[in-house]
Every structure is written in C-alpha cells, then in structure tokens.
Amino acid sequence: MQVLTKRYSKNCLRNVMDRYSAVVQNMEQVVMFPSLLQDVQFSAQAGAPSLYNYFTMLKAIRMDVDHGLLPQEEWQVKEAGGKTSVSENEAAETEEGEEEDLGQLDLEAQFHLHYTSLHHILTHLTLKAEELTRIYQEITGQAV
C-alpha cells in the first residue's frame, strides 16, 4: 500500500491546527500537576486568568480541533445545562435565517475574514501553550 504524504504550505490552516494540537499535547505531557498553575498568572494585571484556567481552556479547544465541534443542538443543551426553552429555539431559528440572508451577500469575503481570524487565534493560542509549558517547567525546575 502506498502512503501519500502531501506537503502543505507553512500558513496552511491544516498545519496551524496540527501544530496547535501537537503543542497542547506536549503541554499536557509536561504539566504533570496542573494544580501548581492555579495561583500563577501570565501577567501581573489584576483579574488576569490563572495559568490553570488557560491550561483547561487550551485542552478543551484542542478537543474541538482534533474531534470537531458538537452539533449546534448538543452545544446549546450543554451550555444551558440541559434546559432549553421554546423561545430560545425560536430565537436560534430566526438568527439562522438572518445569517443565511447575510451569507448570500459575499461568501468569499466572509470566508477570508473567518479563515484569517481562525489562523490568527490558533497561532496565538499555540504561543500561549508554549509559554504555559515554559513557565510550568520553570516552576518545577525542569527548564530546558
């Protein structure tokens, strides 16, 4: 059986997603005791989230990147804690209809906007995961 290996450009979304997934997987392997991150913050700003919050967020996003998103209905149920009302469902249907109208205007421009935004966000999150891993290694004396 012949295995096809296709090379993608550096800025290809697939490469960005694979890199993010690999960096977060490395972070999970390095961070043996996530509780050590609870009182540590990225910056000295008041109200900045702890590294532990970033750690859990980065892991959750990795699950979406690796396994795909939940269907919209399951996501709404999860967010509402299993309590969705008829009015919420009707509002969601109205919102979908409005999105379809707007979607017909300029799909290519919308695609480029969302693609660029996703690329930027994943790159930023990858850097945050690398920084979190480095800080954890410094805390535990594992600095490379």
Side-chain angles (χ1 to χ4, degrees), residues 21-69:
S21 184
V23 167
V24 173
Q25 183 176 10
N26 180 57
M27 176 191 74
E28 288 180 286
Q29 291 173 351
V30 169
V31 178
M32 301 296 284
F33 303 104
S35 60
L36 292 175
L37 302 171
Q38 286 184 338
D39 297 327
V40 182
Q41 296 177 334
F42 266 120
S43 63
Q45 295 175 344
S50 70
L51 290 181
Y52 181 79
N53 290 345
Y54 269 101
F55 178 78
T56 55
M57 176 192 68
L58 292 166
K59 283 178 44 177
I61 293 171
R62 177 179 172 251
M63 293 302 291
D64 288 340
V65 168
D66 289 350
H67 302 291
L69 295 173

Side-chain angles (χ1 to χ4, degrees), residues 90-107:
E90 289 173 357
E93 289 173 5
T94 303
E95 198 172 286
E96 287 175 10
E98 291 172 358
E99 287 176 4
E100 287 177 16
D101 293 341
L102 292 174
Q104 299 301 324
L105 296 178
D106 192 356
L107 292 175

Side-chain angles (χ1 to χ4, degrees), residues 6-36:
K6 186 173 181 180
R7 297 187 53 88
Y8 297 97
S9 72
K10 176 183 163 190
N11 293 323
C12 175
L13 184 59
R14 181 177 301 231
N15 282 346
V16 173
M17 292 172 69
D18 288 345
R19 177 159 166 67
Y20 173 76
S21 184
V23 167
V24 173
Q25 183 176 10
N26 180 57
M27 176 191 74
E28 288 180 286
Q29 291 173 351
V30 169
V31 178
M32 301 296 284
F33 303 104
S35 60
L36 292 175

Side-chain angles (χ1 to χ4, degrees), residues 11-13 16-17 20 61 65 108-126:
N11 293 323
C12 175
L13 184 59
V16 173
M17 292 172 69
Y20 173 76
I61 293 171
V65 168
E108 185 177 4
Q110 287 184 13
F111 170 78
H112 286 289
L113 173 68
H114 291 297
Y115 182 86
T116 303
S117 297
L118 181 60
H119 190 284
H120 174 75
I121 290 168
L122 283 173
T123 301
H124 179 75
L125 291 173
T126 300

